[in-house]
Amino acid sequence: MLLPEFELHEPVSIEDALKLKKKHGKDARLMAGGTDVLVLLKKKVIFTDTIISLLQIKELSQIKESGNEVVIGACATMAQLSKSSVIKEKFGALKSSCDNLGSHLIRNRATIGGNCCNASPAGDTMPSLMIYDAKVMIESTDGKREVSIKNFFKGPGVTDLAIHEILTGFKLPIPPKNSGAHYIQLGKRRSSEINVVNVGSFLEYDPDTKTIINSRIALGSVAATPIRAQKAEELIKGKPAKEDTFYTAGETARKEDCKPIDDFRGSAAYRQAMIGVLTKRTLQASFEQAQ
Amino acid sequence: MKKIINLTINDQAYEIAVVPNKTLADMLRYDLNLTGTKKGCDTGDCGACTVILNGDAVNSCLILAVQTDGAVIETIEGLATDEGLHPIQEAFVEKGAIQCGFCSPGMIMSTKNLLDKNANPTEEEIREGISGNLCRCTGYQKIFEAIDSQKS
């Protein structure tokens, strides 16, 4: 398959990248690892005559701990995140997302920013970013802004990013004590598959009263974007942290929070049933971790 | 517009002018005649084009050649020496892990990368290590056995 002709820009600073994006507007496509963009170009799903590569911008591939948060650069790769000690120790669900994306060959190139900007409803990293309450860092020549990841996705392949903007990274608050998080993805095979259903949960509990203080549940592949299961989250707040509660959360997520469709990977009914099971399992695992 | 890049492939320095829309796989095969690297799907699914780029196994069909300026690349051609095949290649022959041979270069490069990073992988790690490489003939058992025989 031939790649179409294009002009390639490789800016070394965010400022230069922003200027280029402003100059070329919607004609320019941003690219990081290229594992999505190059496939889409080869398959003629997207067209562009200008590519702005972000790989030469060193600060975009850093993972930094600062105060009570971790800042992940948009160009951090899946392999890099999996190996990072802070991600391993404090953001286990995100590590598990990174370990499950594509194959090891893809994970050496694919970036977290790219995964989010590609905005597939079945994307691997998004439910985990959502349960850790990540903020998306966005820049343009006019300045910086931040948006909560739960408001970032607008539809399949569509995000909150304006034409002149670049996603530069994510801010993740360090999870509090007595909290845990877990991610499970379900596909036809274990490697290189596109998820049929993927679910992440985060849970914080009070060890004295054994009740749930806070929870976040994110569902993938069951709507036009990854979504938060808000009804299930509200329902279990203040409830005792035990299996019955997790089951109820699963039932609510299944019946009220998700709206899956039938496609060749799985039926809507199957996806819906699995949301119930995986919500319960991820909450249970989060709780075990929190103890 | 062509850009001149300098890179090291199998311990040999190259200076080459490439257009931006050429992948690393195409540059290796058509400009440098290193046709041991195969192209299967050309979309990062099959792993036939696996090469080792700066110490990491990657799909060379999803990397722009111009972006490998300054890189160190290992391809299947770099494995055998005047004394003969590389031990991993020997093991693949010995265990019957090769049938049509199309996936072998990619499979062997993934194996080399796995063993370079982890000389004594578990069964799970071996299977994970070649999970990005598809074989449509022999099945994976003999390939697994070949890799397993190369553990330290």
Side-chain angles (χ1 to χ4, degrees):
Chain A
M1 269 178 269
L2 285 174
L3 280 167
E5 282 182 24
F6 53 78
E7 199 184 336
L8 178 73
H9 296 278
E10 295 185 273
V12 292
S13 72
I14 296 177
E15 291 69 39
D16 290 350
L18 292 169
K19 279 182 208 153
L20 281 164
K21 189 72 181 113
K22 176 144 187 145
K23 183 179 160 204
H24 294 282
K26 66 172 167 36
D27 295 332
R29 190 89 195 183
L30 296 166
M31 183 171 94
T35 51
D36 281 317
V37 172
L38 294 180
V39 174
L40 296 173
L41 277 172
K42 284 183 181 184
K43 290 186 173 170
K44 300 186 171 36
V45 177
I46 59 169
F47 299 89
T48 187
D49 46 22
T50 309
I51 289 182
I52 303 169
S53 164
L54 302 176
L55 287 187
Q56 295 297 326
I57 308 173
K58 294 284 171 281
E59 57 183 297
L60 286 188
S61 52
Q62 288 171 351
I63 303 166
K64 277 182 296 194
E65 232 182 314
S66 71
N68 54 357
E69 62 186 15
V70 165
V71 179
I72 301 174
C75 293
T77 64
M78 297 299 115
Q80 191 189 343
L81 285 157
S82 291
K83 274 183 271 180
S84 149
S85 54
V86 59
I87 302 299
K88 262 194 254 183
E89 283 159 29
K90 301 197 167 101
F91 299 95
L94 180 61
K95 175 178 160 32
S96 147
S97 284
C98 296
D99 286 341
N100 279 309
L101 185 145
S103 67
H104 69 111
L105 302 169
I106 296 290
R107 291 195 290 274
N108 282 331
R109 298 293 290 183
T111 66
I112 190 163
N115 193 228
C116 285
C117 289
N118 192 50
S120 157
D124 262 305
T125 61
M126 290 104 101
S128 290
L129 287 170
M130 285 171 124
I131 60 171
Y132 287 120
D133 210 17
K135 284 203 178 65
V136 184
M137 300 153 68
I138 297 169
E139 286 190 40
S140 72
T141 46
D142 301 329
K144 299 182 181 186
R145 71 182 177 105
E146 283 177 11
V147 57
S148 168
I149 186 112
K150 74 173 176 200
N151 301 320
F152 181 70
F153 305 107
K154 301 295 179 194
V158 187
T159 68
D160 192 45
L161 281 182
I163 287 166
H164 302 315
E165 290 180 323
I166 296 179
L167 187 162
T168 56
F170 305 89
K171 279 184 189 166
L172 276 65
I174 303 273
K177 259 199 280 178
N178 303 312
S179 73
H182 196 72
Y183 171 78
I184 299 179
Q185 47 101 37
L186 203 63
K188 300 276 187 224
R189 60 203 292 273
R190 271 180 56 197
S191 176
S192 313
E193 96 295 29
I194 294 176
N195 294 325
V196 178
V197 184
N198 49 335
V199 175
S201 289
F202 165 90
L203 181 144
E204 184 187 357
Y205 92 114
D206 182 339
D208 298 328
T209 59
K210 300 261 186 282
T211 56
I212 298 167
I213 305 173
N214 197 4
S215 81
R216 284 185 289 273
I217 303 165
L219 315 175
S221 325
V222 289
T225 66
I227 51 167
R228 287 270 295 272
Q230 276 165 338
K231 294 207 168 97
E233 289 174 9
E234 276 159 36
L235 187 88
I236 62 170
K237 207 174 208 169
K239 297 268 163 59
K242 59 182 171 88
E243 203 181 334
D244 285 357
T245 312
F246 305 144
Y247 174 78
T248 321
E251 287 301 287
T252 308
R254 174 170 78 82
K255 288 182 198 149
E256 297 181 39
D257 285 312
C258 70
K259 298 265 175 312
I261 54 165
D262 287 314
D263 70 12
F264 65 92
R265 281 185 204 98
S267 66
Y270 175 73
R271 286 192 161 101
Q272 205 160 6
M274 289 307 105
I275 284 294
V277 177
L278 297 186
T279 301
K280 180 182 155 230
R281 278 188 202 165
T282 51
L283 281 169
Q284 182 75 44
S286 304
F287 176 56
E288 278 158 22
Q289 223 182 84
Q291 284 172 306
Chain B
M1 200 181 64
K2 282 191 176 179
K3 188 189 159 195
I4 293 174
I5 58 167
N6 286 280
L7 73 168
T8 307
I9 303 169
N10 303 329
D11 295 328
Q12 198 181 326
Y14 286 85
E15 184 177 67
I16 178 169
V18 281
V19 290
N21 63 333
K22 180 168 283 188
T23 63
L24 175 59
D26 285 349
M27 180 182 82
L28 290 171
R29 288 180 57 81
Y30 305 133
D31 295 326
L32 303 177
N33 238 355
L34 295 170
T35 52
T37 299
K38 302 302 177 200
K39 279 175 64 180
C41 67
D42 216 10
T43 51
D45 296 308
C46 76
C49 67
T50 305
V51 300
I52 302 175
L53 169 71
N54 297 329
D56 289 322
V58 294
N59 293 302
S60 62
C61 73
L62 291 186
I63 289 172
L64 297 178
V66 287
Q67 296 196 290
T68 61
D69 193 14
V72 176
I73 293 170
E74 294 169 64
T75 72
I76 190 73
E77 286 88 350
L79 261 53
T81 61
D82 292 343
E83 277 126 60
L85 292 176
H86 187 280
I88 298 172
Q89 292 172 308
E90 289 280 8
F92 269 61
V93 174
E94 181 69 23
K95 298 284 177 187
I98 292 171
Q99 197 162 315
C100 86
F102 196 83
C103 75
S104 306
M107 204 63 92
I108 288 168
M109 294 317 284
S110 272
T111 303
K112 178 163 191 301
N113 196 232
L114 171 73
L115 296 172
D116 283 349
K117 289 178 176 176
N118 177 1
N120 198 15
T122 61
E123 174 176 350
E124 169 102 22
E125 285 164 344
I126 292 175
R127 293 187 187 279
E128 177 65 39
I130 54 163
S131 62
N133 298 82
L134 300 184
C135 166
R136 297 285 88 136
C137 313
T138 72
Y140 298 93
Q141 190 54 32
K142 290 179 175 180
I143 296 171
F144 171 80
E145 285 164 14
I147 302 169
D148 198 53
S149 74
Q150 291 300 297
K151 290 198 301 197
S152 61

